[in-house]
């Protein structure tokens, strides 16, 4: 594996490239777009397992952190949805430059899936397919779920920074989440795209929703939900197998 | 004046298998020992609520170096390929990381820190590696004391006496009593279960030996205790009272934050904690424990013995 920094001097991003196993069939490299905040921390090991499985199957796999998250530069308050869509585009370019591939596949989880769908709609030449893993479809519902433990009076406050599941959220960021929608007409995802639904998820994709691509239901644990007070989420073995099949 | 920070990512260990992020001041030389942060349980190197990232960058802005890495099999580090038991493997990981940092950067003195399991590993490693000149322990394992037990009983009685608890909690209290009689542990609002059983004589003796070697015979310690582990500790002096024959108090500063959750889930609280760490580094004497450079530089020698 190769840790690296990429992006610009003012927007330095951290990434980790796992090279595809030699001898395995070399498929398109894979970019992983993580969830935000506490969901991202809990789901880290599940995404690592996706990256590792992809590498073992011969795909170069690239995990990265959005600006203001993880090991990338920036404070938590520096993050914006527009900025993170741009970061996904930067990561796609970095992955293509690093591997020499013509196209990449993208796997996004929760908010990462939504942002990936929106970021990839203008990159159909570079992106051969997007897998939306329990995407956030309705930003307002997602925000309500994030804020479920925040005191109602505090949550209703128009201004100020809220601590939401351990992460500070500005009022501007909350407004952008409230306006976030995953719209099929807008998504225009590449033909090999797929959405996976692993449970009843607030703000998530349900049967009957407007679908940007085929939707499959895979009953499994949610890796962004804390497992047994460990601080991390459980490993969704069935979903991981389905993702591996999709990559092939 | 802030020096800003510069970060690099490196692979450490005998197999270059452990991912680490090194934070250093953007300008000027490093001062004091290098702070090394250990995983909080199975969370990766960013720490709970990205606290380790914020701490590392604040330390770098203060002129210090900080390394946060993933132990083998955690985060993005590869698992060990030998058959070592887990704790032995983690101690070996720490030793290899310090060896790598010495080899790559010439660093010779370290302060080890972490939260929960990371705190425990820090004090265990400090007990056996003299390169570790200080420890930062956030919610380490502390055996129960008589005063802890009394406070726990009182807290439960106060909670049970609350009208809402009486109305809703009586069935729950009966269920808890039944479970306790049957020896079954329940998750409840006493917070997360403690990671290791601390009330055995063997565990007490082990921790006593560890704290003696790491702190009394070793270097200064900052113990940060939150109110988020009521099953383990519930007052500021519990570490001292648990080992009354050890002169820990002279070498240990305790910061007691009863209103903080175990993972310090409010940014304002993380700021308070990080301020305390920076102040302790500046005032505890760990800076004087950095070995003198071979070129006769200004760093002082560590005390003999």
């Amino acid at each position: 594996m190769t840790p690296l920094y990429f992006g610009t001097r003012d927007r330095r991003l951290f990434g980790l490239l796992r090279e595809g196993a030699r001898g395995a069939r070399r498929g398109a490299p894979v970019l992983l777009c993580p969830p935000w905040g506490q969901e991202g921390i809990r789901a880290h090991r599940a995404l690592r397992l996706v990256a590792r499985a992809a590498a073992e199957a011969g795909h170069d796999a690239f995990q990265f952190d959005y600006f203001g998250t993880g090991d990338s530069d920036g404070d938590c308050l520096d993050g914006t949805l527009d900025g993170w869509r741009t970061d996904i585009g930067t990561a796609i370019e970095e992955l293509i430059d690093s591997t020499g591939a013509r196209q990449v596949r993208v796997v996004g989880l929760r908010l990462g899936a939504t942002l990936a769908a929106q970021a990839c709609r203008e990159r159909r030449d570079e992106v051969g397919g997007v897998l939306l893993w329990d995407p956030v479809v309705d930003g307002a519902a997602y925000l309500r779920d994030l804020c479920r433990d925040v005191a109602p009076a505090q949550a209703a406050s128009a201004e100020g920074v809220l601590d939401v599941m351990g992460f500070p959220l500005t009022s501007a960021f909350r407004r952008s989440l409230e306006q976030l929608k995953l719209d099929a007409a807008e998504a225009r995802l590449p033909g090999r795209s797929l959405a996976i639904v692993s449970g009843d998820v607030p703000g998530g994709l349900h049967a009957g929703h407007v679908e940007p691509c085929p939707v499959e239901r895979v009953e499994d644990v949610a890796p962004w939900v804390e497992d047994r007070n460990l601080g991390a989420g459980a490993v969704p073995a069935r979903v991981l197998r389905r993702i591996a099949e999709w990559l092939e | 004046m802030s020096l800003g920070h510069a970060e690099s990512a490196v692979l450490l260990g005998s197999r270059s298998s452990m991912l680490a992020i090194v934070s250093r001041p953007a300008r000027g030389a490093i001062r004091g020992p290098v702070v090394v942060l250990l995983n909080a349980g199975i969370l990766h190197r960013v720490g709970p609520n990205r606290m380790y990232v914020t701490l590392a960058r604040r330390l770098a802005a203060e002129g210090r170096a900080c390394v946060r890495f993933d132990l083998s099999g955690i985060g993005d580090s590869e698992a060990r390929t030998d058959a070592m038991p887990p704790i032995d493997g983690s101690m070996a990981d720490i030793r290899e990381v310090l060896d790598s940092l010495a080899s790559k950067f010439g660093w010779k003195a370290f302060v080890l820190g972490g939260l929960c399991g990371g705190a425990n590993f820090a004090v265990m490693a400090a007990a056996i590696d003299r390169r570790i000149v200080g420890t930062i322990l956030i919610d380490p394992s502390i055996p129960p004391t008589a005063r802890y037990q009394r406070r726990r009983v009182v807290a439960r009685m106060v909670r049970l006496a609350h009208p809402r608890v009486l109305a809703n909690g009586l069935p729950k209290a009966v269920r808890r009593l039944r479970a306790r009689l049957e020896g079954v542990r329940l998750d409840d609002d006493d917070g997360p279960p403690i990671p290791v059983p601390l009330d055995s004589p063997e565990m007490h003796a082990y921790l006593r030996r560890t704290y003696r070697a790491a702190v009394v015979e070793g270097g200064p310690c900052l113990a940060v205790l939150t109110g988020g582990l009521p099953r383990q500790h519930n007052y500021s002096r519990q570490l001292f009272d648990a080992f009354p024959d050890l002169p820990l108090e002279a070498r240990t500063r305790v910061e007691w934050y009863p209103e903080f959750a175990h993972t310090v889930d409010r940014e304002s609280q993380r700021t308070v904690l990080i301020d305390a760490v920076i102040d302790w580094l500046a005032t505890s004497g760990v800076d004087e424990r950095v070995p003198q450079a071979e070129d006769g530089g200004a760093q002082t020698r560590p005390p003999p013995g």
Side-chain angles (χ1 to χ4, degrees):
Chain A
M1 60 178 169
T2 305
L4 53 101
Y5 289 91
F6 64 103
T8 64
R9 185 176 173 177
D10 293 332
R11 200 172 178 90
R12 196 162 169 255
L13 306 175
F14 172 80
L16 183 65
L17 180 66
R18 293 176 194 272
E19 291 84 5
R22 288 197 191 96
R25 188 174 66 82
R26 299 288 295 210
V30 181
L31 174 70
L32 296 161
C33 299
W36 170 78
Q38 203 61 245
E39 293 192 349
I41 287 188
R42 292 168 180 167
H44 183 89
R45 68 172 173 167
L47 288 177
R48 170 176 62 92
L49 290 172
V50 172
R52 198 172 73 180
E56 287 171 358
H59 305 269
D60 295 328
F62 193 41
Q63 296 166 260
F64 83 105
D65 296 320
Y66 312 112
F67 188 75
T69 74
D71 291 312
S72 289
D73 276 6
D75 292 332
C76 294
L77 295 174
D78 294 334
T80 66
L81 297 185
D82 281 341
W84 292 347
R85 289 185 197 98
T86 301
D87 291 342
I88 292 172
T90 304
I92 290 171
E93 290 165 7
E94 178 67 27
L95 184 53
I96 287 175
D97 283 346
S98 297
T99 61
R102 192 178 62 81
Q103 275 194 337
V104 305
R105 301 273 199 100
V106 178
V107 174
L109 174 59
R110 295 286 282 151
L111 185 64
T114 310
L115 298 177
Q118 294 172 340
C120 292
R121 67 191 180 202
E122 305 300 333
R123 292 179 176 266
R124 295 175 70 83
D125 289 341
E126 298 161 293
V127 178
V130 183
L131 189 142
L132 309 180
W133 181 1
D134 283 302
V136 170
V137 174
D138 181 341
Y142 166 69
L143 181 61
R144 279 195 301 274
D145 186 56
L146 290 179
C147 293
R148 63 183 177 275
D149 292 330
V150 177
Q154 226 184 340
S157 163
E159 296 301 323
V161 176
L162 280 184
D163 280 306
V164 175
M165 296 173 72
F167 285 81
L169 229 55
T170 63
S171 53
F173 192 87
R174 296 199 300 277
R175 282 194 292 273
S176 67
L177 279 180
E178 284 167 353
Q179 293 160 10
L180 181 70
K181 292 267 187 224
L182 183 59
D183 185 287
E186 278 193 333
R188 298 204 304 272
L189 291 171
R192 296 178 70 111
S193 296
L194 174 68
I196 289 177
V197 177
S198 59
D200 291 328
V201 180
L205 200 63
H206 300 284
H209 254 244
V210 177
E211 297 165 359
C213 55
V215 179
E216 288 184 16
R217 186 173 191 87
V218 180
E219 288 289 342
D220 212 337
V221 295
W224 64 90
V225 175
E226 188 178 18
D227 177 38
R228 291 173 294 155
N229 287 314
L230 293 175
V235 175
R238 292 191 199 92
V239 170
L240 295 189
R241 274 198 298 273
R242 185 65 187 97
I243 294 174
E245 290 168 3
W246 177 77
L247 286 173
E248 295 306 315
Chain B
M1 186 184 82
S2 171
L3 297 171
H5 70 269
E7 284 181 339
S8 56
V10 293
L11 295 174
L12 302 176
S14 61
R15 295 180 301 125
S16 296
S17 59
M18 288 182 278
L19 177 56
I21 306 294
V22 178
S23 302
R24 289 184 277 190
R27 296 178 298 280
I30 291 159
R31 67 185 178 97
V34 176
V35 177
V36 178
L37 299 177
L38 306 178
N39 297 106
I42 62 172
L43 300 186
H44 72 297
R45 64 198 170 275
V46 301
N49 308 308
R50 208 186 181 216
M51 180 164 63
Y52 286 5
V53 176
T54 308
L55 172 58
R57 291 174 181 175
R58 282 281 308 275
L59 289 171
E62 296 281 332
R64 299 182 181 276
C66 181
V67 178
R68 44 194 181 80
F69 76 99
D70 290 329
L71 291 164
S72 294
I74 295 178
D76 294 301
S77 291
E78 296 170 14
R80 293 186 70 89
T81 55
D82 51 33
M84 270 197 189
I87 293 178
D88 293 343
S90 294
M91 291 298 107
D93 282 348
I94 293 168
R95 183 174 60 248
E96 288 184 28
V97 161
L98 300 192
D99 290 345
S100 290
L101 293 174
S103 172
K104 280 184 186 302
F105 302 106
W107 293 336
K108 294 183 170 60
F110 306 91
V111 166
L112 240 60
L115 184 146
C116 197
N120 293 336
F121 282 161
V123 70
M124 290 161 64
I128 57 177
D129 194 326
R130 282 291 168 253
R131 294 176 294 182
I132 301 167
V133 299
T135 47
I136 300 169
L137 313 177
I138 306 170
D139 281 352
S141 292
I142 305 175
T145 61
R147 185 174 170 189
Y148 164 82
Q149 301 289 11
R150 287 194 300 272
R151 290 176 63 86
R152 187 165 162 79
V153 168
V154 168
R156 278 193 171 153
M157 289 170 63
V158 167
R159 200 165 61 230
L160 283 173
H162 192 284
R164 190 177 343 143
V165 175
L166 280 175
N168 300 328
L170 204 51
K172 183 179 172 185
V174 168
R175 183 168 58 92
R176 283 166 48 88
L177 179 60
R178 183 176 298 147
R180 191 162 182 101
L181 290 172
E182 293 172 357
V184 174
R185 191 180 284 266
L186 293 177
D187 283 348
D188 56 25
D189 55 3
D190 267 354
I194 57 175
V196 293
L198 297 168
D199 47 3
S200 72
E202 294 80 12
M203 179 57 70
H204 189 280
Y206 172 75
L207 287 174
R208 183 182 173 282
R209 287 195 302 274
T210 300
Y211 276 94
R212 170 182 280 283
V215 182
V216 177
E217 297 168 357
C221 172
L222 171 65
V224 178
L225 306 183
T226 75
L229 277 186
R231 281 193 173 135
Q232 176 174 278
H233 55 259
N234 58 18
Y235 68 104
S236 62
R237 292 189 54 84
Q238 189 170 330
L239 180 63
F240 305 145
D241 292 348
F243 310 109
D245 62 321
L246 292 184
L248 285 176
E249 197 164 355
R251 309 292 296 271
T252 305
R253 168 171 159 180
V254 173
E255 293 289 333
W256 168 232
Y257 301 123
E259 70 279 15
F260 287 12
H262 178 49
T263 55
V264 199
D265 56 5
R266 300 201 172 186
E267 196 188 24
S268 57
Q269 294 174 346
R270 293 192 288 274
T271 299
V272 169
L273 188 154
I274 291 171
D275 285 346
V277 169
I278 290 174
D279 182 73
W280 174 80
L281 285 166
T283 57
S284 63
V286 286
D287 286 350
E288 286 75 49
R289 299 177 65 87
V290 177
Q292 186 171 12
E294 288 177 357
D295 62 359
Q299 293 167 327
T300 58
R301 294 187 187 280

